[in-house]
Amino acid sequence: MKLPDVVDGCAHIADGWLQGRTAYGRASAAVALMAAKTAYPDLPPLRSVQVAFVGPLAGDVTATPTLLRRGKNSGFIGVDVTSTDGIGLRALFLFMAERESEVRHGDLSITPPTVPESAVIDGSGIGPGFLRNFEFAKAGEPLTGNWLRWVRLKDRIDLDPDIELVAIADALPPAAMSVAQKWGPISTTTWQLNLVSAIETRDGWWLLGAELLHAADGSSSQNMTIWNRDGQAVATATQSVALFV
């Protein structure tokens, strides 16, 4: 199923993108990003995303972008996404052009595991309904407090790379669930994504890693990294998750 289109600030989040009574969070974040890029098409490259998932979103929604600041090299866009129940998502997007700098530190690239094309798992029937929009492949056995999986969005033809990455960036379950004694409801509360290189990969495959930092009292914190097919880091992220188990 295609991601929802945004026309004049309006979109419809179909049932195929729901997890429970609300949309898969990165689908609603993608709606916010589409609205920002449509309203301000001359922005420099996307650099950072901050999202608060305030309440449920489903069905007909409205995305309202606001230009907060536009400088010579950067621009901040705020977007609220609302439904009949009120605000469901508040996002802040930073768009910033590259510039020369003498500072260069850290290499997040890895030697990527092989994508086992013969063992690709269709997301249909393995969890919440929105997973039917993805394909998954193992990238080694799960470790305590960590997930590492190849993920591919099924319907990605002609999709803006920024939108594709935002949509796919959190397709894994929270890392906290790798140490849970049983599975149960979860809800992302805040999420930040930082782009560290060009958004490009081969055959649509992205390697997603999630590392649990802390979990207690119904809340967890985790770090994430997204690599392309060649093992180059494309984005890092941090996330807080409410746990109902």
Side-chain angles (χ1 to χ4, degrees):
M1 177 179 291
K2 286 184 62 178
L3 285 164
D5 289 324
V6 179
V7 179
D8 296 329
C10 297
H12 180 79
I13 302 177
D15 289 351
W17 281 106
L18 299 187
Q19 51 176 2
R21 65 193 183 103
T22 190
Y24 160 58
R26 262 40 63 179
S28 49
V31 166
L33 180 55
M34 287 182 203
K37 297 189 74 168
T38 300
Y40 305 99
D42 62 339
L43 293 164
L46 180 67
R47 186 65 59 183
S48 185
V49 178
Q50 298 178 29
V51 180
F53 298 96
V54 181
L57 285 172
D60 294 329
V61 300
T62 300
T64 305
T66 302
L67 179 64
L68 303 177
R69 184 182 186 277
R70 182 67 189 268
K72 185 170 68 172
N73 294 310
S74 65
F76 280 95
I77 310 293
V79 182
D80 284 348
V81 183
T82 59
S83 68
T84 54
D85 293 328
I87 185 168
L89 177 149
R90 175 161 288 176
L92 177 65
F93 299 104
L94 168 62
F95 299 85
M96 188 169 67
E98 291 185 356
R99 56 179 147 225
E100 292 186 9
S101 173
E102 65 178 21
V103 179
R104 185 169 292 274
H105 174 77
D107 183 2
L108 297 174
S109 61
I110 62 172
T111 301
T114 301
V115 178
E117 296 282 5
S118 61
V120 172
I121 300 171
D122 189 292
S124 302
I126 65 172
F130 75 89
L131 290 176
R132 73 188 66 177
N133 298 296
F134 300 98
E135 293 176 313
F136 298 86
K138 274 193 171 185
E141 295 301 320
L143 301 174
T144 300
N146 291 268
W147 294 120
L148 188 66
R149 289 288 185 271
W150 289 104
V151 184
R152 178 164 63 184
L153 186 64
K154 288 182 184 177
D155 195 341
R156 61 186 187 279
I157 297 175
D158 298 327
L159 191 60
D160 184 309
D162 293 351
I163 307 298
E164 178 184 355
L165 189 72
V166 166
I168 209 166
D170 188 36
L172 297 181
M177 300 311 293
S178 69
V179 301
Q181 297 301 309
K182 61 180 180 178
W183 286 74
I186 58 91
S187 179
T188 298
T189 50
T190 61
W191 177 65
Q192 176 165 339
L193 179 78
N194 294 322
L195 285 303
V196 297
S197 68
I199 304 175
E200 55 188 16
T201 192
R202 293 184 289 115
D203 304 322
W205 285 110
W206 301 94
L207 183 62
L208 273 57
E211 177 188 8
L212 178 63
L213 299 176
H214 182 265
D217 305 319
S219 182
S220 72
S221 178
Q222 67 181 43
N223 285 338
M224 294 168 282
T225 307
I226 302 172
W227 296 271
N228 64 17
R229 184 75 180 264
D230 298 315
Q232 181 182 15
V234 173
T236 62
T238 186
Q239 183 177 5
S240 62
V241 182
L243 307 172
F244 300 92
V245 292

